[in-house]
Amino acid sequence: MYRLIPVSVFCICLALCSGCGPKQTKTYYVEGTITIDGQPAEKVLVTFVPKTEGNGVQASGVTDAQGIYKLTSLRGKQDKGAAAGDYAVTVSKREWKPAAVPFVDPVTKQEFKEESFEIIPVQYRNPFRSPLNATVSAGENKGLDFDIVLK
């Protein structure tokens, strides 16, 4: 009889916890192109930030050599997009240049001779100020293209 108690407790805990854990959000394929001054932009971080609280989760992707991005959500499947809803879109691109003064990491003693800088204006990087918006619908979402104007 006493041997059955641990087994019974285990079965009850298993039944109670079977619905626990992170849920996977229903996401839809999202693809588009980012251009800077009309030219395809490589290695641009594209982020879709939900406009409404509780309306899905943030999704992001990085552009390839043709400027094409495919979104992935934190709780979605790889390259499977974003949850349906309205989003503010942000973009960010960092480039490297020689550092005026090399930086030496105090812990590793590694010397860095380059520094990065952001080439995209701040308005495009801030979800509250970005002029870029998108709506993700159920089904496939292609052609969510944006041109960033630097000039």
Side-chain angles (χ1 to χ4, degrees), residues 39-116:
Q39 299 299 312
E42 185 177 13
K43 297 181 182 175
V44 174
L45 173 63
V46 181
T47 306
F48 279 41
V49 181
K51 285 189 170 187
T52 309
E53 192 70 30
N55 181 26
V57 294
Q58 186 170 292
S60 61
V62 177
T63 60
D64 62 15
Q66 289 76 41
I68 298 171
Y69 68 90
K70 297 173 186 173
L71 293 184
T72 299
S73 297
L74 178 63
R75 290 186 293 220
K77 295 180 181 175
Q78 183 68 31
D79 289 339
K80 296 299 180 190
D86 294 322
Y87 292 87
V89 179
T90 64
V91 292
S92 174
K93 179 173 173 58
R94 300 195 71 78
E95 291 189 351
W96 294 87
K97 66 179 181 181
V101 177
F103 171 76
V104 178
D105 186 303
V107 176
T108 65
K109 305 298 184 212
Q110 182 178 359
E111 183 178 66
F112 296 92
K113 296 181 180 182
E114 292 183 318
E115 60 188 2
S116 68

Side-chain angles (χ1 to χ4, degrees), residues 127-150:
F128 300 107
R129 294 178 54 200
S130 178
L132 310 177
N133 298 289
T135 300
V136 174
S137 305
E140 196 172 81
N141 295 266
K142 285 188 172 183
L144 295 176
D145 305 335
F146 302 99
D147 184 43
I148 310 307
V149 179
L150 298 182

